Amino acid sequence: MVRLIRRVFLAWLVIVNLIIPLPTQHTHAQSAFDPENTRRATVQILQVFTNPVGATVITCVGSGTLVSTDGLILTNAHVVLPIGGCRSERLIIALTIRLDEAPVPTYYAEVVNYNIGWDLAVLRITDTIDDLPVNRAALALPFVELGDSEAVRLDSTLEFVGYAAPEREATAEAVSSIVRGTVSGFTAEARVGNRAWIKTRAAIPGGMTGGGAYDITTGHLIGIPTVEPVSSGGAEGEQPTCRRIQDSNGDGRVDTNDVCIPVSGFINAMRPARLARGLILAARLGITPDFQQPLTLGGQREGDPTFARLFFASGVDLGGMPTTIVQAVPTGISSLYLFFDYANMTDGMIYEMRVLRDGLADPTFSLAPATWSGGGTGLWYIGSTAQVYPNGEYEFLLFIEGVRVASAAISVGGVAEARPEFSNIVFGVLSLENQLVSAGNVLPVSPTINAEFAYNNLRDGLTWRQVWYFDGLEIANGVGTWTGGANGKLAVNASGTPEIPLQAGRYRLELSIEERLAATADFIMAGAQIAYNTEIFTNLTFATELNGRGEPSGVVGTTLPDTVQQMYALFDWRDVAVGTPFTWRWTVDNNPLFEVTQPWQESLIGSQGWVRLTAPARLPSGSYKLELLLAGEVKGAVTARVGLGQLPVEIFRVAEGATLRGTILDAETKAGIFGATIIILKVEVDVRDFTWQMSEVYGIAFTDSEGNFAMTTPLVREEIYSIIVTAGGYLPMASDGLAVPQDPNTPFELRLEMNRD
C-alpha cells in the first residue's frame, strides 16, 4: 500500500508540473536574474540512513543547484559526503514544486565527482523516491548556467539562493529563499590564487551552503556559498551546533541519544564557479580519473595538526612564495597575505581565520569555517585583495576544527617607511657566465643550491643572516655584517658535504636583518639537470591497456581510437622524494577536468607511473592533456588525440542555446493569460506524434499574471521545434515550425493570442 501511495504521489507530481502556474515573476531593473527559475533549479539535499525500525533518518541537510536539464547537481562536498558526523546511506533530492511551500523529496542521487579541498561536488540523479530508475534522457528539469566568476567586481550585486536552516522538522519548514548582497572583497589562498573565495557582507543562513550565488547582470551562477558546521566557541572538545529533530534510534523519543543534525553559522564566502567547471564537464562526459596509487587526503598524520611561524607579506610571487615580509603597512593597502607553516593537516579538515580590527570582529577580511586543501605539511597563505584595509590594529586568529591554534598582529596606517628589507628570493641554475638561469621553485638535484634576492634601504654595519633547511632541519647557517650598499641584488648559495650530500626533497631559505625575518621561500629539489633545465618526468605516452607486469599494451602512442573505454598516461620519473607535493591535472580541448595534489609515494628513479581516465561506455572524442606539476611548475605534459580529437558539439550546444521568452494574450481583450502552459517537444517529436509522455518533452514553461513566460531550458540554435500552448477556457495552439535563430544577438521571443473556447 505504501508503494502504491508513493507511485500515485509521483504521478500527481508530474501532473502538478504540467498544470500549476508559476507565481508572478518579480524582475529587477537591468537584471537578467530569473528568481523563479533559480528557485526551481535549487534543490534541498538530505543525507539519510535507515534506523533499526526501518525509518528514514536525516543526518545532514544542505542546498544544491541543478546545472543540467538531465539531473546534474552542483553543491558542497561536505553536504553530500559522509564526513563531519554525517552518516549517509543515500542522498535524497527534494524539489520545489510550489515556490511558497517546502520542497518535495523526489529523487535519489549519487556523487559523481568531488574535490574535498575545494569543498565542491557534482551529483547525478539516479532513481525516484519510489526506487524506480530514472531515464535521464527524458528528464526536463529547470537548471541554471555557470557564469564567469572572474568578471565579478567589488560591489557587484549578487542574489543568493538556497534553503535556510530549519528550526524544527528538517523539510516541513524549509522554503527556498533569496538573499541579496554585494561583493565585499576576494580572499586569496595558496594554490588557488587571489580569487579563491568571493566575499560578501550579506547575512546568508548556513542552510544555504551548497546553493548558488548569481550575478544579477547576467543571471548566471558565479559562486557556491560555502560554510562548514563547526564548534561555535572554539573551546577544545566543544561539540558543533546542531539540532535533534527525529527519533533516530527507534526508542520512541527524541533525546541526546538521537542524531544531531549539524547547523552552520552565517555564510560570508563563496567558492568561484570556475573551480566547478571541470567537475561538471567530467560528469557530463562520464569521465573519472585514477592514479597508480590510492589517492591520499594529506598523507599519514604523525601528530596533532598545527599552524606555526606566522608572518605577513605584501605580495606573492608566481610560485606562491612571499615577496616582501612586513611588520606594519601604510594607509591605503589593499593586498595583505598571512603566511604560516602547517603540519599534520588533512584535506577536508576545517580551518578558519577570524580577523579583529581594534578588538572588534571584521568579517570583510575573515574567512568563515572552510575545508583545508593544502595536504599534510608545507607553507600556506591566506589573504585579501581588492578591498582597502581601514587603519587600525589587526589581529588574525587561526582555528583548526574550531580550536584556536595561532595568531598574529599587524598595524595598518600612516605613511610608508623606508625600512631595510630583503625581497623576491629566486632559485636557479648558474650559467657558464655565472648568471642565475632557469629560475623557479624547482631545482635539479645537485651539489650546490643557488639563489638570488633583492635588497633595499640597507646600510653598512647591519647584521644579517641566511639559514638553509632541508625537510625542516637546519643544514647551513651563516651570519655576517652588511657591506653591500643600500639597494641591489645579492647571490647566495649552500652546498652539501661528502658525508651529507644534498638530495631530493623540500628546502627552505630564511633571510634575517638584525634577527628579524626579512624574506623566506621554499623550493623543491628533484630530477636531473639537462642543459640549464630540470628534467623530472620523461617518456610520456599513452596506452589503452596494461599487461600483467604493468607494461603498456593495446594501442600505444598519442593517437587513440574513439572506441576506448580507458586510457593510461604513462611516464618515467627520477629523483622525487617521498612526500613531495605533486599535482596531476587533466584538460580536454583546453577545458579543465581534474586537478589533484597529493604527496609523492615513490622515490628515486622509476618507470611506468600512470594516471588513468575511464568512462563507462567510451571516452568521447577530444584532445586530452595531462600535466604533471611540482611546486606549481609544469614538469611534464602529454596530449592524446582520441577519435576526431575534438569534443562533440552537442556537449556544449545546449548551454549556449537560446532562451525562449514571450507573452500569451487573450485574442479579444489583449490581456495577458495567467496560467497558460507552453510545452516544447523534443526535436524528433512532432505535434501529431505527441502522446503526452514526459519522455517526449524538451521543456515546459508557465505564464505569470501578465501572461509572460521564459523557457528554463535553452533551445539549440538552428533547430526547429514543435510547440503546444494550452490554457483553461481557451482553444489549444500547436505548431511544428518553431525555428531557433542562429544569431545570438537576435531576440527569441513569441507573442501569441489565444481564442476563447
Side-chain angles (χ1 to χ4, degrees):
M1 177 61 71
V2 172
R3 181 174 291 273
L4 176 61
I5 292 173
R6 285 181 176 176
R7 287 179 178 173
V8 171
F9 170 76
L10 287 172
W12 171 84
L13 182 63
V14 172
I15 294 172
V16 166
N17 272 292
L18 286 173
I19 67 174
I20 292 181
L22 297 177
T24 302
Q25 179 175 345
H26 302 285
T27 59
H28 303 287
Q30 297 181 342
S31 172
F33 174 70
D34 185 343
E36 294 180 359
N37 180 60
T38 52
R39 289 181 67 186
R40 291 185 180 278
T42 302
V43 302
Q44 189 178 53
I45 303 172
L46 303 95
Q47 293 193 57
V48 301
F49 72 93
T50 303
N51 71 6
V53 297
T56 298
V57 177
I58 301 169
T59 61
C60 285
V61 181
S63 300
T65 305
L66 285 159
V67 292
S68 73
T69 188
D70 60 352
L72 291 181
I73 299 169
L74 175 63
T75 185
N76 287 143
H78 79 267
V79 169
V80 296
L81 296 178
I83 56 179
C86 295
R87 178 180 174 184
S88 179
E89 294 176 354
R90 303 191 79 173
L91 296 172
I92 291 178
I93 306 301
L95 302 183
T96 293
I97 306 303
R98 294 179 181 268
L99 295 181
D100 57 348
E101 294 183 2
V104 178
T106 310
Y107 296 110
Y108 289 111
E110 64 180 4
V111 179
V112 182
N113 290 312
Y114 66 88
N115 186 308
I116 196 168
W118 294 347
D119 200 6
L120 296 174
V122 177
L123 314 181
R124 177 186 292 120
I125 287 174
T126 57
D127 303 281
T128 69
I129 201 70
D130 199 31
D131 281 324
L132 299 175
V134 168
N135 178 6
R136 295 180 58 239
L139 289 176
L141 297 171
F143 74 101
V144 300
E145 295 182 51
L146 262 62
D148 182 5
S149 54
E150 296 300 291
V152 176
R153 296 292 179 259
L154 197 66
D155 296 327
S156 292
T157 301
L158 305 179
E159 300 278 11
F160 304 91
V161 186
Y163 291 89
E167 291 297 326
R168 293 187 295 276
E169 210 281 326
T171 57
E173 296 186 2
V175 177
S176 61
S177 304
I178 299 178
V179 176
R180 172 168 284 200
T182 58
V183 175
S184 61
F186 304 96
T187 297
E189 195 177 35
R191 296 185 185 168
V192 185
N194 279 342
R195 288 191 173 212
W197 299 90
I198 303 172
K199 299 293 298 299
T200 181
R201 298 189 189 91
I204 307 172
M208 294 172 73
T209 184
Y214 299 84
D215 182 352
I216 66 167
T217 60
T218 64
H220 293 161
L221 178 71
I222 56 86
I224 301 88
T226 303
V227 67
E228 292 275 354
V230 294
S231 302
S232 58
E236 191 167 1
E238 185 176 354
Q239 295 301 310
T241 301
C242 60
R243 295 192 180 104
R244 293 178 174 86
I245 63 172
Q246 294 174 281
D247 174 20
S248 60
N249 57 8
D251 63 2
R253 59 181 181 272
V254 178
D255 54 26
T256 56
N257 295 319
D258 291 304
V259 170
C260 195
I261 297 177
V263 178
S264 305
F266 282 96
I267 303 170
N268 74 350
M270 299 147 275
R271 279 298 195 187
R274 68 176 175 86
L275 297 181
R277 287 191 177 276
L279 297 176
I280 294 172
L281 178 58
R284 293 183 67 181
L285 298 175
I287 296 175
T288 56
D290 190 18
F291 187 54
Q292 70 177 115
Q293 295 162 340
L295 297 184
T296 59
L297 301 180
Q300 291 291 106
R301 286 176 53 178
E302 300 176 353
D304 294 331
T306 60
F307 294 155
R309 199 181 74 127
L310 280 64
F311 61 88
F312 295 94
S314 58
V316 177
D317 66 20
L318 295 178
M321 295 294 115
T323 54
T324 302
I325 295 177
V326 293
Q327 282 72 42
V329 291
T331 298
I333 192 169
S334 60
S335 295
L336 186 64
Y337 303 84
L338 174 65
F339 279 80
F340 53 90
D341 291 338
Y342 61 93
N344 302 316
M345 293 292 290
T346 300
D347 282 358
M349 294 183 70
I350 302 170
Y351 86 116
E352 178 185 1
M353 183 176 72
R354 302 179 193 172
V355 178
L356 307 180
R357 176 162 57 93
D358 296 332
L360 301 177
D362 191 330
T364 299
F365 304 106
S366 300
L367 179 65
T371 47
W372 180 257
S373 61
T377 302
L379 178 66
W380 198 252
Y381 72 79
I382 181 172
S384 181
T385 61
Q387 181 68 290
V388 173
Y389 283 77
N391 290 352
E393 298 295 324
Y394 287 77
E395 185 177 13
F396 290 68
L397 312 176
L398 293 177
F399 295 77
I400 302 176
E401 301 287 351
V403 178
R404 177 175 168 176
V405 295
S407 64
I410 191 170
S411 296
V412 177
V415 298
E417 297 182 16
R419 299 176 179 175
E421 65 180 25
F422 297 146
S423 64
N424 298 296
I425 300 175
V426 294
F427 304 94
V429 175
L430 287 182
S431 68
L432 296 176
E433 294 76 26
N434 212 34
Q435 298 295 315
L436 200 69
V437 296
S438 300
N441 291 89
V442 180
L443 298 181
V445 177
S446 60
T448 303
I449 310 169
N450 299 287
E452 187 177 81
F453 61 91
Y455 59 90
N456 291 283
N457 308 313
L458 269 289
R459 63 178 183 273
D460 290 351
L462 288 176
T463 300
W464 73 288
R465 180 190 300 269
Q466 57 173 312
V467 184
W468 299 80
Y469 298 88
F470 170 67
D471 282 347
L473 300 176
E474 183 178 312
I475 59 173
N477 188 329
V479 181
T481 300
W482 189 260
T483 58
N487 307 298
K489 289 185 177 181
L490 182 66
V492 293
N493 61 71
S495 301
T497 64
E499 296 78 16
I500 309 178
L502 299 182
Q503 55 188 300
R506 288 176 286 182
Y507 289 79
R508 167 174 294 171
L509 171 61
E510 285 185 351
L511 300 173
S512 301
I513 301 173
E514 298 291 336
E515 302 303 323
R516 169 183 60 83
L517 181 65
T520 185
D522 292 0
F523 66 96
I524 290 173
M525 188 175 280
Q529 181 175 332
I530 305 297
Y532 291 138
N533 295 317
T534 304
E535 184 181 87
I536 301 173
F537 303 109
T538 58
N539 300 324
L540 281 78
T541 189
F542 290 89
T544 57
E545 299 288 344
L546 296 181
N547 62 25
R549 297 184 298 276
E551 299 168 339
S553 61
V555 180
V556 179
T558 57
T559 302
L560 307 178
D562 61 1
T563 57
V564 299
Q565 184 180 359
Q566 63 182 3
M567 64 177 177
Y568 294 82
L570 306 167
F571 57 90
D572 298 338
W573 74 89
R574 60 179 302 163
D575 296 316
V576 182
V578 171
T580 300
F582 158 71
T583 301
W584 49 270
R585 181 165 64 204
W586 280 105
T587 61
V588 57
D589 292 358
N590 296 319
N591 297 292
L593 280 178
F594 303 100
E595 181 172 321
V596 176
T597 300
Q598 62 185 107
W600 185 258
Q601 301 296 309
E602 297 286 349
S603 62
L604 302 179
I605 299 176
S607 61
Q608 303 310 315
W610 55 258
V611 184
R612 178 175 59 189
L613 286 183
T614 61
R618 62 183 182 86
L619 290 169
S621 293
S623 293
Y624 294 84
K625 183 177 183 180
L626 173 69
E627 294 178 307
L628 307 175
L629 300 88
L630 289 179
E633 298 181 21
V634 177
K635 293 300 178 183
V638 62
T639 300
R641 179 187 175 96
V642 175
L644 298 176
Q646 184 175 359
L647 286 174
V649 175
E650 56 266 23
I651 295 295
F652 302 102
R653 67 177 183 176
V654 171
E656 298 172 352
T659 299
L660 173 63
R661 300 177 183 271
T663 305
I664 310 299
L665 303 174
D666 184 296
E668 182 178 347
T669 66
K670 308 304 180 185
I673 299 175
F674 175 70
T677 300
I678 300 90
I679 303 174
I680 302 296
L681 303 182
K682 292 185 175 179
V683 173
E684 64 271 17
V685 180
D686 295 333
V687 170
R688 64 182 179 181
D689 298 326
F690 183 44
T691 61
W692 294 89
Q693 301 295 316
M694 284 300 295
S695 60
E696 301 169 335
V697 175
Y698 183 82
I700 300 175
F702 309 91
T703 57
D704 60 18
S705 60
E706 297 178 353
N708 299 317
F709 73 91
M711 189 65 58
T712 59
T713 306
L715 278 64
V716 178
R717 298 192 183 279
E718 299 186 58
E719 288 285 6
I720 298 178
Y721 292 86
S722 298
I723 181 172
I724 298 173
V725 183
T726 64
Y730 291 86
L731 296 173
M733 303 178 67
S735 173
D736 288 327
L738 182 65
V740 185
Q742 176 182 2
D743 184 2
N745 297 317
T746 301
F748 189 28
E749 299 178 353
L750 291 179
R751 178 184 172 90
L752 302 177
E753 297 182 359
M754 301 186 72
N755 295 308
R756 292 184 179 272
D757 189 352

